[in-house]
Amino acid sequence: MTALPAAIPTTPSVDIAIEHVDLWYGTNHVLRDVDLKIRPGEFFAFLGPSGCGKTTLLRLIAGFNQADRGRVLIAGRDVSDLPPWKRDVGMVFQSYALWPHMTVEQNVAFGLEERRLPRQEIVKRVAAALDLVGLGALGKRRPAQLSGGQQQRVALARTIVVEPKVLLLDEPLSNLDAKLRGEVRRELRELQQRLGLTAIFVTHDQEEANTICDRIAVMKDGTVQQVGAPSELYDRPRNLFVAGFLGSTNTLDGIVRGDGAARVFETAAGRIPLPACRVPEGDMPPGAKLVFRPHHAILSRLDSPLAPGRTRLDGKVRFMEFLGATERYGIAVAGGAEVLVDLSHGTAPEGLDVDTAVAVDIATDRLLVLGE
């Protein structure tokens, strides 16, 4: 890896604290008691569906929104009442917000000129920022002469050239095609680590959040549902919403009976034993369901022996989808429920045509009982 240009120094990492923030738009309660701590140098994500409040929260940190209650601290300093230009943050917008009549160099230089830096310093820092994002040879072009990926890099260069303490990214990859998104997010992660920036990334795409971020806050209806590393959220979701938003899930209705190691989840499809560690202590949460991931099950013949550590549901094949490395089977089980089973390509038993009777063998140590 090449060294950073001298004109773009690494930035001492800072922490961010969002303390019990509430925000209303009129009668609409957009953010509800949001309380988060983001570690120095962390690449953090706000993840959730449209309208969950993630962009509002990002704009609150940037200073474009004002909380009705609570405060925001950057490096221990309360910035709640400071305007955006006094917060030492840089924001990359979803639309890139480039000036179409300016060249790439002029776009990147804009923030430095507003700060009244000497001309020689501006030229040096613009050149360094463009070199850092791989656009050193395109400084004289205008945004319309660039690809979407190149425009995204210009927006990033314009942000880092002012040496912010915090990098804020509002769905910056949403305008790129799938292949380019993968390339740019890897570059973005590498750049963040090289500069030592604390970064916050807003997205509704769980794959983007999983691949680029250290930790994720999953949001719904203005509240933070759970915070954790991607693997933690995937394997140990706190509720049904988090489980469903972080990947495909199977959910079965039923009721827990018995105690301790003898507990079972009784469904219309059959009685399923539950490891005690996977069942909440005390009363069941509202709307509790049995949850497992499609790749935590396999398909077997009805007369095949059941392997230790698995439980079985009988059903019939409803459909098969070829997903490349994975084959997804939809299985209708008793009681009208349908479960998905993901198998590596080429590992399914032969002859699994539609309406074929089949056994769904589920790893019991992967079962969860989750509420709403």
Side-chain angles (χ1 to χ4, degrees):
M1 185 181 297
T2 58
L4 286 172
I8 303 292
T10 55
T11 302
S13 300
V14 300
D15 65 317
I16 302 168
I18 302 160
E19 297 184 345
H20 300 290
V21 161
D22 281 273
L23 187 149
W24 283 264
Y25 288 155
T27 59
N28 185 17
H29 200 173
V30 181
L31 297 176
R32 302 167 182 262
D33 194 28
V34 176
D35 195 67
L36 286 171
K37 293 190 184 301
I38 298 167
R39 300 163 185 160
E42 190 169 37
F43 208 130
F44 197 91
F46 299 152
L47 173 68
S50 297
C52 72
K54 57 187 185 295
T55 294
T56 300
L57 183 56
L58 191 78
R59 291 175 62 85
L60 182 78
I61 297 170
F64 299 120
N65 288 332
Q66 187 74 28
D68 294 287
R69 184 177 74 94
R71 60 181 190 162
V72 176
L73 293 89
I74 297 176
R77 177 191 182 203
D78 188 349
V79 299
S80 304
D81 295 325
L82 295 181
W85 57 90
K86 291 187 177 181
R87 295 194 179 198
D88 287 329
V89 302
M91 188 159 176
V92 178
F93 297 91
Q94 182 177 358
S95 63
Y96 309 145
L98 301 178
W99 298 103
H101 63 286
M102 292 183 179
T103 66
V104 167
E105 289 176 342
Q106 290 169 335
N107 267 280
V108 176
F110 184 81
L112 300 176
E113 291 171 346
E114 289 294 300
R115 288 164 172 79
R116 303 292 193 269
L117 267 65
R119 188 66 206 167
Q120 186 175 358
E121 178 70 10
I122 291 174
V123 170
K124 182 173 68 172
R125 285 171 62 169
V126 167
L130 289 176
D131 284 343
L132 194 61
V133 298
L135 296 178
L138 303 181
K140 303 302 181 185
R141 293 190 184 181
R142 299 189 188 276
Q145 297 172 298
L146 303 178
S147 68
Q150 289 169 334
Q151 290 183 36
Q152 194 272 349
R153 290 182 178 94
V154 175
L156 186 58
R158 183 183 57 188
T159 301
I160 63 176
V161 78
V162 298
E163 300 174 12
K165 291 180 180 177
V166 178
L167 179 62
L168 306 176
L169 302 135
D170 184 13
E171 303 210 42
L173 310 181
S174 60
N175 295 326
L176 307 179
D177 62 52
K179 181 180 179 181
L180 191 55
R181 277 201 305 271
E183 295 174 0
V184 174
R185 73 187 179 212
R186 285 189 292 272
E187 294 172 0
L188 193 58
R189 174 64 169 171
E190 179 184 351
L191 184 61
Q192 177 262 340
Q193 290 178 320
R194 292 176 69 190
L195 293 174
L197 288 169
T198 303
I200 304 176
F201 184 87
V202 161
T203 182
H204 63 274
D205 187 323
Q206 56 96 5
E207 180 180 316
E208 283 186 358
N210 284 343
T211 54
I212 201 172
C213 294
D214 300 303
R215 288 192 305 150
I216 300 168
V218 182
M219 298 185 64
K220 175 190 178 186
D221 297 333
T223 64
V224 175
Q225 300 288 300
Q226 188 174 353
V227 178
S231 59
E232 176 187 352
L233 297 177
Y234 187 82
D235 291 333
R236 296 185 295 281
R238 184 173 294 166
N239 55 38
L240 289 168
F241 177 80
V242 175
F245 207 82
L246 268 293
S248 299
T249 57
N250 291 305
T251 58
L252 295 174
D253 294 314
I255 188 169
V256 176
R257 298 194 184 279
D259 295 303
R263 279 181 169 176
V264 297
F265 196 87
E266 191 171 280
T267 76
R271 293 167 63 90
I272 300 174
L274 296 172
C277 62
R278 292 282 176 163
V279 181
E281 294 297 329
D283 296 336
M284 287 297 101
K289 298 180 186 293
L290 187 69
V291 176
F292 63 95
R293 301 287 184 188
H295 67 277
H296 290 151
I298 60 173
L299 298 179
S300 304
R301 303 284 182 194
L302 292 176
D303 58 356
S304 64
L306 182 63
R310 291 189 177 271
T311 189
R312 174 170 289 179
L313 298 175
D314 295 341
K316 286 187 176 182
V317 177
R318 280 200 61 247
F319 66 85
M320 189 277 278
E321 296 173 341
F322 179 65
L323 305 178
T326 303
E327 296 170 3
R328 170 163 290 179
Y329 290 84
I331 310 298
V333 297
E338 180 178 286
V339 300
L340 301 176
V341 179
D342 287 349
L343 303 177
S344 297
H345 176 46
T347 64
E350 294 183 2
L352 292 185
D353 300 321
V354 173
D355 289 334
T356 301
V358 69
V360 180
D361 293 348
I362 309 162
T364 55
D365 64 348
R366 293 294 186 169
L367 293 169
L368 297 166
V369 176
L370 299 175
E372 295 174 348

